[in-house]
Amino acid sequence: MRTNKYILLAATLFGLSSCGNKKGDYDASGTFEATEVIVSSEANGKIMQFNIEEGQLLKADEEVGCIDTLQLYLKKMQLLASGKAIASKRTDINKQIAATKEQIGKAEYERKRTENLLKENAATQKQIDDIDSQIAVLKKQLEAQISTLQRSNASITEESSAYEIQVAQLDDQLRKCHITSPICGTVLAKYAEAGELATQGKPLFKVADVQHLFLRAYITADQLSQLKLGDKVKVFSDLGEDDRREYEGTITWISDKSEFTPKTIQTRDERANLVYATKIAVKNDGYIKIGMYGEMKK
């Protein structure tokens, strides 16, 4: 890996030194890179389907395979059944307290009737007091009944919520059994096949966005003051021999740390040069390949 980096830096320095002495045509050179994503399994189980091939173009969020979901599905069905059983225990408070409220209503009606009789000296104050006492007892019973039923329903609600959370967790695990591409790109490598056992974290395939590439080039400290993020530059792809294609590029990243050129450079002065890595975004028309050499001109 270090050897490849030195080779790249050496080739870059050659381009930079050529530019510095005004004999070269380019300001920097490097290789094209892509945003690569290694998609790993998020679930454990047998890979039931995995229909992709290297070089295949995928859309973002496109499903390309799935991992066995039978046990998770059965567990979800069990939880849903348990949740329904718990929910069926919920009490209708109005129905439960209807009898007590009716008793209170009858007692209040009886009090009014007795009060009218008292005005005609056909009843006693003690009868009124007894009815008032009966009404007070019934109202306290009603309050206690409502409180008990509300606590019971609240407990059932909490228990049902716990089941709902477990079902939501299973839904999330079921979604993770579906293998999808996180980006729109081309499959670079396939690491598993249908029928194999997948475990969480196991790499399944590598996908790269080859429509939007980056030219990683190195510039000198002198050039650093002439470039900034967002600058538009010309990028040339090296297709072999004298074949070049020109593209518009945008500088999206400039390293904040300098690097010494490798010791394979012959002279001490050249080895002492500092270079800065840059990334130049380029829209690919299909001709640029990952790892291909390219050049940049301001």
Side-chain angles (χ1 to χ4, degrees), residues 130-292:
D130 290 342
I131 295 173
D132 286 341
S133 177
Q134 182 184 4
I135 292 174
V137 170
L138 288 172
K139 286 184 176 180
K140 289 182 179 179
Q141 288 178 353
L142 179 63
E143 290 178 1
Q145 194 175 10
I146 292 175
S147 177
T148 300
L149 292 173
Q150 286 179 340
R151 285 198 302 269
S152 176
N153 282 351
S155 177
I156 292 173
T157 299
E158 291 178 0
E159 194 170 353
S160 296
S161 297
Y163 276 101
E164 290 174 1
I165 292 172
Q166 293 180 58
V167 171
Q169 290 175 335
L170 283 175
D171 284 337
D172 180 61
Q173 293 177 28
L174 285 168
R175 281 193 296 270
K176 290 178 179 179
C177 288
H178 295 270
I179 306 169
T180 59
S181 174
I183 63 173
C184 178
T186 301
V187 178
L188 298 184
K190 183 179 180 182
Y191 305 122
E193 297 291 343
E196 294 182 4
L197 184 64
T199 56
Q200 287 185 348
K202 176 181 178 178
L204 299 177
F205 67 99
K206 181 193 291 186
V207 61
D209 181 3
V210 296
Q211 295 181 350
H212 302 88
L213 298 181
F214 297 91
L215 174 65
R216 178 183 284 271
Y218 292 85
I219 60 176
T220 62
D222 293 337
Q223 292 173 307
L224 186 62
S225 61
Q226 302 173 15
L227 298 172
K228 66 179 184 299
L229 295 180
D231 278 356
K232 301 294 183 181
V233 296
K234 294 179 180 179
V235 174
F236 301 87
S237 62
D238 186 352
L239 302 180
E241 297 183 356
D242 295 329
D243 192 7
R244 297 283 192 278
R245 294 183 72 89
E246 181 179 335
Y247 303 87
E248 182 184 80
T250 304
I251 297 178
T252 59
W253 175 75
I254 300 176
S255 175
D256 58 352
K257 295 181 180 179
S258 61
E259 303 177 44
F260 282 105
T261 51
K263 295 181 179 180
T264 51
I265 301 302
Q266 296 297 320
T267 67
R268 180 178 300 176
D269 291 339
E270 288 178 331
R271 287 200 301 269
N273 286 336
L274 293 175
V275 292
Y276 294 82
T278 62
K279 280 188 176 182
I280 305 158
V282 179
K283 188 172 182 180
N284 189 9
D285 58 0
Y287 287 97
I288 307 176
K289 310 299 180 186
I290 299 174
M292 182 182 289

Side-chain angles (χ1 to χ4, degrees), residues 90-118:
R90 190 182 302 277
T91 303
D92 188 334
I93 295 179
N94 289 328
K95 288 183 178 180
Q96 293 294 322
I97 65 175
T100 305
K101 291 177 72 174
E102 186 177 353
Q103 290 178 12
I104 293 174
K106 288 182 178 180
E108 289 176 343
Y109 173 78
E110 184 65 22
R111 187 186 188 285
K112 289 182 180 179
R113 191 179 71 83
T114 305
E115 190 176 25
N116 291 330
L117 292 174
L118 180 62

